[in-house]
Amino acid sequence: MKLIIVGGGGREHAIIKKLKENPAVEEIFALPGNGGMTDDAVCVDISAKDISGIAKFAKENSIDYAVVAPDDPLVLGCVDKLEDMGIPCFGPRANAAIIEGSKVFSKNLMKKYNIPTAAYEVFSDLNAALAYIETAPMPTVVKADGLALGKGVIIAQTREEAKAAVLEIMQDKKFGASGDRIVVEEFLEGPEVSVLSFTDGKTVVPMISSMDHKRAGDNDTGLNTGGMGTVAPNPYYTKEIADVCMEKIFLPTINAMNAEGRTFKGCLYFGLMLTKDGPKVIEYNCRFGDPETQVVLPLLESDLLTVMKAVTEEKLSKTEVRFSKNHACCVIMASKGYPQSYEKGFEMNIPAEISDSVYVAGALRKDGKLLTNGGRVLGATAVEETLEKAIKSAYALVDRISFENAYFRRDIGARAMKAGKE
Ligand code: AMP
Ligand code: GLY
């Protein structure tokens, strides 16, 4: 089989490595991929947002199956285009990807179908939003409606901060048209859990739970990033909580999307907060999380391509999705300065013996050398019998990798180690 995977980060590298385990897979093309994954896939210089370029490539190369991983092409209708050409795909169509593409849509969906989430108001008028902030309880959370590279969420401690956020998004258009509307919502507290799930629109199969570390600095300080590391499973996510989530969140969401005529097929990501009033949805993503995927897929014992095809063919209820009992830890190595400005072009050294445990997110191959080419450069993942060992082994991998200006958090997994002891 010939496959394409749309996207080019660490998540895509993890998906590719897992797909390759199936002997029927002859060739995987990554569009655009990156220089650090050339041992695993053929990288083709077509942007993940170039939907007609992707479609043309798929047709010319007689592609049998496509996996569309990032939010942008999903929201832009990449799956619609490929499916309409007769190419089976993993990923939601645009009318379902809106669950991530518009926060206003997802909040209204949750309200309409009684799915637990933070209380909220929607504004398309700047002055109305500013007036609301005058009386809103603080802290509050201001969110741009559309996609904003994971940066469109501002947690404001004071009214001044909240007003500044509203002005930045609605007046200065920091996130472009994504800020034409905003959601202002209640600030929730509690441990966060990421649950990725496979769904074919009929059945929903949650994957092993995970914990992201979004802030740039140790002890959850500093700016929000795309994610600086992950562990799986998430120790806060007990069997009892999982059962509540299935009944009150996962199934109601799938059913709600069906009722709206927007059947969701693919990976639906539930970003949850375990509040004292029970689990609530913080966000939906219409795709695999990054870097959650780099700990979740290494623990998947079933064949990924078989599961993905079962989703496409709506046969998920008949397919086994099994995870190992082990623990995984992924530490992201970034360029110093990320998520703000950073230098790139530094030579990377990844020993060949550990390359199976490394998912490259931002690298360029030039004159036979691998050079850093992004904010998040790579993730190093270790799988062990305990969380403690997984953390230790992940940092042992990091110690063996080098590039100038490397930055990583030293406390990935530390919060998870404390779970139940607070
Ligand atoms: P998002 O981009 O929606 O995942 O939001 C980024 C981060 O902001 C989340 O992972 C949470 O840590 C935080 N966040 C979002 N919404 C809320 C909320 N209503 N209350 C508290 N924290 C939130
Ligand atoms: N790690 C969070 C996300 O993928 O959106």
Side-chain angles (χ1 to χ4, degrees):
M1 278 182 80
K2 283 163 93 177
L3 271 53
I4 56 172
I5 171 149
V6 175
R11 163 187 54 203
E12 286 76 6
H13 200 182
I15 295 172
I16 289 167
K17 281 192 195 266
K18 202 73 198 170
L19 287 171
K20 270 181 62 181
E21 290 176 8
N22 185 315
V25 174
E26 297 156 83
E27 201 156 30
I28 304 183
F29 298 95
L31 282 53
N34 76 65
M37 54 172 81
T38 49
D39 287 344
D40 296 306
V42 178
C43 296
V44 184
D45 190 16
I46 296 176
S47 153
K49 291 196 212 175
D50 178 4
I51 309 301
S52 41
I54 294 165
K56 185 163 171 273
F57 179 87
K59 192 167 182 191
E60 284 171 4
N61 291 277
S62 312
I63 294 302
D64 300 298
Y65 193 71
V67 177
V68 183
D71 45 5
D72 279 314
L74 289 166
V75 170
L76 290 170
C78 190
V79 167
D80 308 46
K81 178 91 179 179
L82 293 171
E83 277 186 351
D84 295 349
M85 287 164 49
I87 298 171
C89 288
F90 183 84
R93 293 175 74 92
N95 72 345
I98 191 174
I99 199 165
E100 174 171 4
S102 167
K103 293 205 194 287
V104 174
F105 171 86
S106 66
K107 294 298 290 190
N108 290 345
L109 184 86
M110 287 186 269
K111 187 188 255 178
K112 182 168 171 190
Y113 294 93
N114 282 319
I115 298 166
T117 188
Y120 71 102
E121 298 286 338
V122 174
F123 298 96
S124 49
D125 178 69
L126 174 66
N127 290 325
L130 291 173
Y132 173 77
I133 298 287
E134 290 298 342
T135 56
M138 293 294 133
T140 194
V141 185
V142 181
K143 301 186 172 185
D145 175 39
L147 297 180
L149 294 169
K151 293 175 189 146
V153 174
I154 293 115
I155 297 177
Q157 301 295 335
T158 63
R159 282 185 218 295
E160 282 59 47
E161 280 175 32
K163 277 190 225 160
V166 170
L167 287 169
E168 248 180 24
I169 298 175
M170 296 189 89
Q171 185 170 283
D172 307 343
K173 296 279 176 215
K174 190 170 177 192
F175 308 110
S178 287
D180 288 348
R181 289 190 295 177
I182 60 166
V183 172
V184 181
E185 72 176 29
E186 172 197 9
F187 175 75
L188 298 178
E189 282 177 283
E192 281 187 63
V193 183
S194 306
V195 180
L196 284 58
S197 69
F198 291 108
T199 177
D200 59 1
K202 299 174 182 158
T203 307
V204 54
V205 180
M207 299 182 221
I208 199 162
S209 63
S210 54
M211 183 192 287
D212 194 3
H213 297 68
K214 286 204 166 130
R215 308 291 284 273
D218 285 358
N219 301 315
D220 297 321
T221 54
L223 294 172
N224 252 324
T225 69
M228 293 301 294
T230 35
V231 296
N234 184 322
Y236 290 98
Y237 192 71
T238 60
K239 168 84 175 71
E240 291 69 40
I241 293 174
D243 289 345
V244 172
C245 290
M246 180 55 91
E247 188 198 325
K248 300 234 187 293
I249 297 175
F250 305 159
L251 286 171
T253 302
I254 300 305
N255 293 338
M257 291 298 277
N258 285 332
E260 295 292 312
R262 297 174 180 273
T263 296
F264 189 104
K265 288 167 65 176
C267 173
L268 182 54
Y269 167 128
F270 299 90
L272 306 171
M273 196 168 270
L274 308 181
T275 74
K276 60 177 177 8
D277 302 322
K280 295 193 179 180
V281 177
I282 288 281
E283 63 161 348
Y284 293 114
N285 289 332
C286 65
R287 52 172 174 86
F288 283 94
D290 190 344
E292 284 88 342
T293 304
Q294 291 90 308
V295 284
V296 169
L297 289 187
L299 295 174
L300 177 65
E301 288 180 340
S302 307
D303 175 59
L304 179 61
L305 183 60
T306 305
V307 177
M308 285 183 158
K309 285 174 75 182
V311 167
T312 309
E313 292 161 14
E314 299 177 19
K315 292 180 186 154
L316 189 56
S317 67
K318 299 193 190 77
T319 306
E320 189 192 33
V321 184
R322 197 180 61 246
F323 283 88
S324 103
K325 297 257 178 291
N326 287 332
H327 295 253
C329 174
C330 172
V331 178
I332 296 293
M333 296 181 76
S335 301
K336 198 170 153 199
Y338 172 76
Q340 290 176 305
S341 62
Y342 51 83
E343 286 180 65
K344 45 194 189 181
F346 298 112
E347 187 171 356
M348 297 162 62
N349 177 25
I350 306 171
E353 320 86 78
I354 63 166
S355 67
D356 279 354
S357 310
V358 176
Y359 303 114
V360 182
L364 180 75
R365 212 167 269 281
K366 201 173 170 194
D367 306 329
K369 289 181 184 164
L370 193 59
L371 307 177
T372 63
N373 192 38
R376 287 190 294 180
V377 174
L378 59 85
T381 297
V383 174
E384 298 283 0
E385 280 167 17
T386 65
L387 173 62
E388 190 173 6
K389 282 190 193 165
I391 296 169
K392 220 170 155 203
S393 298
Y395 279 102
L397 291 169
V398 167
D399 277 344
R400 299 185 62 189
I401 299 167
S402 58
F403 55 90
E404 214 174 297
N405 265 11
Y407 169 76
F408 55 92
R409 273 180 64 163
R410 296 191 178 266
D411 65 340
I412 302 304
R415 175 124 198 259
M417 287 297 295
K418 286 192 207 133
K421 296 181 197 141
E422 289 132 311

